[in-house]
């Protein structure tokens, strides 16, 4: 303190004081800095103008964003990740990453889901919910990671585990009490496919669909390819190709027993 001169000094206090403008209106003196904001907000200036400041618009955008996060999370039954997703949504606002609100909310929820153990929510689920092309949403997701410098952190998070995903699809296909048995058989078939190099370079959705069809027929359930397509969200042609590839292996010529 003794070797320099203080140009300006700002004292932060908890008390709120009021003053009176020339027109007789009461105004709040001082400034406020809210969570996630870079600059101080002058309450008096905004009040005298009689309009809304940019900080007010930012607060409204964040509030509407959190409402959108809650709606999407409730639709996908993942309410436990809303708080984590909201932190990413706030970071997007701070780094000026402006996209349609539903896209931003979907991406933030997806990032939060990927950090959960046993997660089965994929990007295509969000794309279907907000009626967006999954490849466009994926491109926006990569831009988001780059904008908030999360590329290295996200890549270290493991991908979706395949066993919970198969069980999720099996529940949707309504096997009743045999759901877990069919899911276990499908996981065993997928493991055999992996040893036969069918899994490498293939889309996981089509592989899950082909394994579930085989596992269902092993347990005397009739499920058509069209039914499985609607559940796993993979192309019918892709599933037929995986079945054909499996048929040409030694395991494909084995009996059910």
């Amino acid at each position: 303190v003794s070797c320099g001169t203080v140009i300006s000094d700002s004292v932060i206090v908890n008390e709120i004081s009021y003053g009176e403008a020339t027109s007789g209106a009461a105004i709040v003196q001082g400034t406020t800095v809210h969570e996630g904001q870079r600059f101080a907000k002058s309450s008096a200036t905004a009040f005298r103008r009689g309009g809304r400041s940019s900080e007010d618009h930012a607060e409204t955008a964040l509030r509407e964003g959190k409402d959108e996060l809650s709606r999407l999370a409730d639709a996908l039954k993942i309410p436990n990740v809303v708080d984590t997703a909201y932190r990413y949504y706030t970071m997007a606002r701070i780094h000026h990453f402006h996209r349609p609100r539903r896209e931003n909310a979907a991406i933030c929820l997806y990032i939060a889901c990927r950090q959960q153990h046993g997660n089965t929510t994929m990007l295509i689920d969000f794309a279907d919910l907000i009626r967006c092309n999954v490849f466009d949403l994926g491109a926006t997701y990569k831009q988001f990671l780059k904008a908030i410098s999360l590329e290295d952190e996200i890549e270290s998070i493991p991908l979706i585990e395949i066993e919970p995903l198969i069980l999720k699809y099996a529940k949707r296909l309504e096997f009743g009490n045999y759901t877990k048995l069919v899911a276990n058989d499908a996981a065993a078939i997928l493991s055999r496919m992996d040893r036969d190099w069918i899994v490498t370079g293939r889309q996981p959705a089509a592989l899950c669909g082909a394994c579930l069809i085989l596992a269902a027929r092993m347990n005397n359930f009739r499920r058509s390819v069209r039914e499985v397509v609607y559940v796993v969200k993979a192309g019918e042609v892709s599933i037929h190709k995986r079945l054909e590839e499996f048929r040409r292996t030694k395991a494909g010529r084995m009996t059910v027993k």
Side-chain angles (χ1 to χ4, degrees):
V1 175
S2 61
C3 65
T5 302
V6 178
I7 302 299
S8 63
D9 194 9
S10 176
V11 180
I12 299 177
V13 295
N14 292 326
E15 294 82 6
I16 299 177
S17 58
Y18 298 90
E20 185 175 347
T22 55
S23 60
I27 59 173
V28 180
Q29 294 180 343
T31 58
T32 57
V33 181
H34 295 284
E35 181 183 3
Q37 289 185 355
R38 289 183 171 183
F39 305 102
K41 171 185 174 183
S42 177
S43 303
T45 305
F47 183 83
R48 283 198 301 268
R49 289 176 181 171
R52 298 177 64 192
S53 64
S54 59
E55 289 82 3
D56 293 328
H57 287 290
E59 290 175 8
T60 302
L62 287 174
R63 184 174 63 253
E64 292 175 349
K66 190 165 188 178
D67 292 341
E68 188 65 34
L69 289 169
S70 300
R71 282 194 292 269
L72 295 179
D74 290 340
L76 292 173
K77 297 180 175 59
I78 49 172
N80 56 315
V81 299
V82 172
D83 291 337
T84 304
Y86 180 67
R87 288 197 290 270
Y88 287 116
Y89 193 90
T90 306
M91 291 175 64
R93 296 287 308 181
I94 293 174
H95 288 81
H96 303 290
F97 185 82
H98 300 297
R99 294 292 187 278
R101 186 184 303 119
R102 289 175 68 84
E103 289 187 19
N104 270 2
I107 290 169
C108 294
L109 282 170
Y110 175 66
I111 295 174
C113 285
R114 282 194 59 179
Q115 299 180 30
Q116 300 290 316
H117 180 69
N119 168 53
T120 58
T121 307
M122 299 191 297
L123 192 63
I124 194 170
D125 297 324
F126 292 104
D128 286 345
L129 187 60
I130 67 174
R131 300 184 182 276
C132 173
N133 186 297
V134 66
F135 296 104
D136 294 339
L137 191 62
T140 306
Y141 164 70
K142 290 184 177 181
Q143 294 170 8
F144 180 87
L145 295 181
K146 187 176 181 180
I148 64 175
S149 304
L150 273 179
E151 292 174 299
D152 296 335
E153 180 181 341
I154 291 297
E155 293 304 323
S156 63
I157 298 176
L159 298 176
I160 294 176
E161 298 177 7
I162 200 69
E163 287 83 2
L165 194 61
I166 290 177
L167 182 60
K168 170 187 172 181
Y169 292 148
K171 289 179 180 178
R172 291 184 179 179
L173 287 170
E174 299 177 353
F175 293 114
N177 296 331
Y178 292 88
T179 299
K180 188 166 287 188
L181 178 61
V182 172
N184 288 338
D185 289 341
I189 293 172
L190 185 62
S191 178
R192 177 66 198 216
M193 284 184 173
D194 189 19
R195 292 196 293 271
D196 290 328
W197 293 93
I198 298 177
V199 172
T200 306
R202 303 299 198 279
Q203 292 184 355
L207 287 167
C208 292
C211 293
L212 282 169
I213 290 174
L214 294 172
R217 294 177 181 176
M218 284 170 57
N219 291 278
N220 299 318
F221 287 100
R222 180 70 179 178
R223 294 293 183 272
S224 65
V225 177
R226 183 59 59 87
E227 289 178 292
V228 176
V229 163
Y230 285 124
V231 171
V232 302
K233 298 181 177 65
E236 189 172 343
V237 175
S238 299
I239 294 179
H240 277 299
K241 284 183 178 180
R242 300 295 88 80
L243 291 171
E244 178 62 24
E245 289 171 351
F246 183 72
R247 187 182 67 83
R248 294 199 297 266
T249 63
K250 291 182 180 180
R253 293 189 290 272
M254 295 167 62
T255 63
V256 174
K257 184 177 180 180

